[in-house]
Amino acid sequence: MRKLCKLVIIISSMLLINVQIYAQNVGISVDGSTPDNSAMLDIKSTSGGLLIPRMTKSQRDAISSPATSLIIYQTDNTPGFYYNAGTPSSPNWVRSSNSNDPTVFTTVRSNGNAMTWKACLDTCRNLASNNYQGYNNWHMPSIEDYAKAATAPSDGWKSQYFWTTFPYTSYSGYWVIFLESSGDWNNTGCNTNYYCRCVR
C-alpha cells in the first residue's frame, strides 16, 4: 500500500511539473492547438475576436495605478483604443491612431496670431506631448498634408499664408508658406511671422 502511495505521489508530481511548464504560455482555441512559444496568451478563432474592456473617459481615469501599456476602449469624447504610455503613478493615456485616418487640421493656433517658423514647430510639438484631443501625433503640416486634407478645419481655410515643413532650398533658413484659400505658395525666412496650424 505504501509503495502504491509513493507511486501515486511520484506520478502526480511529474504531471504537476508538466502542467507548470506548459502553463508558461496559454492557448485558447477550438482545435486544441499548442500556443505559440513567443506568446504568453495565444487566442485562435475564425469566428470571433478579442473584446477589450469598454469604458468612459471618467471610468478610465478612475483606474487605480494603471500598469504601463494597459489598454482599454474609450466610448466617449474621442472614442478609440487607449493605452497607458506613462507609469502607474503618473498615467499618460494615448489614443492609438490609425495611419489610414483622414488628415485633420487644428484651428488657427495662438488665437489667430502670426508667429515664427520655430514657434509654430514648438506649438505643434506641445500639442503632441500634451495629447491634444487624445492624439500624440500632431505636427507642422507639409504640402502633402494639405493635399490629403479630407475636410476643411472647423474655422475654414483662410486667406493667409501658413507655415509648412517644406524647406525652400535656394536660401538657407527659408521655408515654403502656403496660402490656404487659393493653394498658392511662397517662401520666407524662418524669423518672419506667419500663421500656424497643426495636423495629424
Side-chain angles (χ1 to χ4, degrees):
M1 182 68 176
R2 288 182 180 175
K3 289 183 180 179
L4 180 60
C5 287
K6 287 181 180 177
L7 182 60
V8 169
I9 290 171
I10 291 170
I11 292 172
S12 298
S13 298
M14 290 174 63
L15 289 173
L16 182 60
I17 290 169
N18 286 337
V19 168
Q20 289 173 342
I21 292 170
Y22 183 76
Q24 288 179 358
N25 56 359
V26 176
I28 301 173
S29 65
V30 293
D31 60 5
S33 57
T34 302
D36 189 287
N37 288 331
S38 66
M40 289 299 294
L41 175 63
D42 185 355
I43 303 172
K44 181 187 286 185
S45 175
T46 57
S47 59
L50 175 66
L51 195 56
I52 298 294
R54 293 139 295 165
M55 62 189 72
T56 64
K57 182 180 183 298
S58 60
Q59 291 169 331
R60 179 203 76 185
D61 293 341
I63 297 173
S64 177
S65 300
T68 299
S69 80
L70 186 73
I71 187 168
I72 61 99
Y73 185 85
Q74 185 174 302
T75 57
D76 62 351
N77 289 335
T78 305
F81 289 101
Y82 285 78
Y83 65 95
N84 180 18
T87 63
S89 60
S90 182
N92 177 22
W93 291 100
V94 175
R95 183 179 183 272
S96 179
S97 61
N98 185 340
S99 60
N100 294 321
D101 284 347
T103 301
V104 176
F105 283 79
T106 62
T107 56
V108 177
R109 298 290 89 193
S110 263
N111 300 318
N113 296 325
M115 61 181 75
T116 65
W117 185 89
K118 178 65 165 59
C120 184
L121 179 67
D122 290 341
T123 297
C124 296
R125 285 177 172 170
N126 287 337
L127 292 184
S129 64
N130 292 317
N131 294 314
Y132 178 66
Q133 294 182 345
Y135 294 90
N136 67 347
N137 59 342
W138 294 101
H139 57 277
M140 192 189 301
S142 65
I143 296 298
E144 289 79 9
D145 285 325
Y146 272 107
K148 291 190 300 182
T151 57
S154 60
D155 58 344
W157 299 121
K158 302 295 185 183
S159 296
Q160 297 158 335
Y161 279 102
F162 283 79
W163 288 113
T164 74
T165 55
F166 197 79
Y168 186 70
T169 54
S170 298
Y171 299 103
S172 176
Y174 272 60
W175 297 88
V176 169
I177 51 177
F178 185 76
L179 184 61
E180 291 185 336
S181 59
S182 69
D184 191 19
W185 63 273
N186 209 324
N187 65 85
T188 190
C190 61
N191 291 320
T192 52
N193 289 321
Y194 282 95
Y195 291 89
C196 181
R197 287 193 196 276
C198 303
V199 64
R200 62 164 178 81

